[in-house]
Amino acid sequence: MAELRAAFAREVSGRRGGDVPPEQVLVTGGATHALSIALRAVLRAGDEVLVLSPHWPCATALVRAAGGVAREVPVFLELGAGFGFDLMGAVEGAVTSRTRAIYFNSPNNPTGYRLDRRRLAVLVELAERHDLWLIADNTYDGYDFTREGFPDIAAVGGAAERTFSVHGCGTTYAMPGNRVGYLVSPPGAAATAVALARCTGGVVPTVAQFAAYEALRTPREELGRRRDHAAAAWWLADSTLEVPHTEVSGGLYTFLDLRAWGDGERFVRRCAELGVGLAPGRNFGEHCGGWARLCFTAAPPQRVAGAIERINKVYGEGTDEH
């Protein structure tokens, strides 16, 4: 739908502070489809993607599916610790002659860490110096809890010339089953993205596109209320959790630090026995086995509070043993 592409282009133009023509926007079958297309557009067999970690679980699998090699670069837990972490050194130290792109998700799933403009500028500088593509997963752009709001890396310097921006309607507009997202390609790459879309799912159903177009008409005030509701859920979780966890600036999750407990997966299983679902940390990075993800918006506040009580109880039992 030309109208939907134009509406998405207006959304992105507003965030970037510059005109994005509809021709650079591709409607996709959700953000996952958009990310798959971006990776296939830039990778050849054996090319490497630096995946800033912890990361969305499917990111590394999509890199492999595109014929690439995912190299996890731990950054989000280190940045969140606030000990003067050298982002430039960590990412640049992972660059090789086969590196073609940097992938990141911000606000981050699972840690809730948000890359500000200063840190985004570091990634832009690295990409320009090593001639790399930037693949920005902006799935949680509608849930940035900071006063400044969501910063789009494509608005930093000349980053738009090398950035594939992935967006989805499922999270922002509470319609994940509709499976509509979009990909904003750099100038000159849109035709490649369209060709790949035809080979990886074809056209998004028209009825789903109409639903997304209607969702885009949701008043800004209502979207703001939804963001504030998620932020309030985070404040509730933060104030009641007795388990060490990451500080959240956006998104729907916090990462529980279970290293003192002894075994993250055993903790997840024990919580499941008590009716509380957590995601095992190993899904989010090879170095995250001692962690687990908590979604603090998975249920109404009263139920979340009850779940946190059980989580605290299990954590207390385990730390007593250690």
Side-chain angles (χ1 to χ4, degrees):
M1 285 176 54
E3 296 87 353
L4 182 59
R5 293 177 72 190
F8 283 147
R10 288 193 296 271
E11 286 279 309
V12 176
S13 296
R15 281 193 292 265
R16 294 186 180 185
D19 183 54
V20 176
E23 292 74 26
Q24 286 179 232
V25 177
L26 174 67
V27 180
T28 62
T32 302
H33 187 208
L35 178 55
S36 175
I37 291 170
L39 290 167
R40 291 172 186 271
V42 303
L43 296 180
R44 293 172 292 184
D47 285 348
E48 296 176 352
V49 178
L50 303 185
V51 178
L52 304 194
S53 180
H55 55 76
W56 175 59
C58 290
T60 52
L62 288 171
V63 172
R64 292 193 295 271
V69 176
R71 297 194 65 194
E72 295 184 18
V73 183
V75 301
F76 287 111
L77 293 174
E78 291 75 8
L79 285 168
F83 297 134
F85 177 68
D86 181 8
L87 177 63
M88 175 78 76
V91 180
E92 190 158 36
V95 175
T96 74
S97 60
R98 298 306 303 269
T99 305
R100 293 292 176 269
I102 300 171
Y103 163 85
F104 67 93
N105 164 232
S106 176
N108 178 246
N109 173 6
T111 67
Y113 187 88
R114 163 195 179 272
L115 292 169
D116 58 20
R117 287 184 65 88
R118 179 169 62 89
R119 291 179 171 86
L120 292 174
V122 169
L123 298 181
V124 173
E125 181 181 341
L126 279 168
E128 290 175 345
R129 184 157 63 240
H130 296 281
D131 194 20
L132 305 176
W133 298 101
L134 292 165
I135 301 178
D137 183 346
N138 300 325
T139 300
Y140 298 97
D141 56 0
Y143 289 91
D144 185 316
F145 302 152
T146 66
R147 182 174 299 177
E148 297 80 11
F150 174 75
D152 192 328
I153 194 171
V156 178
E161 300 297 317
R162 60 179 67 248
T163 299
F164 287 86
S165 296
V166 173
H167 300 265
C169 293
T171 302
T172 302
Y173 300 103
M175 52 193 308
N178 198 56
R179 305 312 305 154
V180 175
Y182 61 103
L183 175 67
V184 184
S185 299
T192 299
V194 169
L196 287 166
R198 291 182 180 136
C199 302
T200 56
V203 176
V204 178
T206 304
V207 65
Q209 293 192 55
F210 270 108
Y213 183 75
E214 289 300 314
L216 286 173
R217 299 168 64 181
T218 303
R220 293 293 172 188
E221 295 78 11
E222 171 61 22
L223 295 177
R225 282 193 292 270
R226 296 179 190 179
R227 182 189 62 246
D228 293 344
H229 180 78
W234 151 242
W235 294 327
L236 171 64
D238 185 44
S239 64
T240 54
L241 271 170
E242 297 172 8
V243 184
H245 55 279
T246 54
E247 187 73 21
V248 171
S249 297
L252 308 176
Y253 315 100
T254 186
F255 220 26
L256 306 181
D257 184 353
L258 305 171
R259 290 173 293 181
W261 203 83
D263 185 337
E265 295 207 24
R266 188 164 64 89
F267 184 92
V268 170
R269 289 194 297 271
R270 176 66 182 129
C271 287
E273 292 171 359
L274 298 179
V276 179
L278 301 172
R282 61 177 172 79
N283 293 348
F284 304 92
E286 296 173 353
H287 61 296
C288 298
W291 298 73
R293 188 190 72 178
L294 167 68
C295 178
F296 47 76
T297 59
Q302 186 174 358
R303 289 185 61 195
V304 171
I308 289 175
E309 286 183 14
R310 300 180 205 178
I311 291 171
N312 290 338
K313 179 176 182 294
V314 173
Y315 187 76
E317 293 170 352
T319 52
D320 289 344
E321 295 174 4
H322 292 80

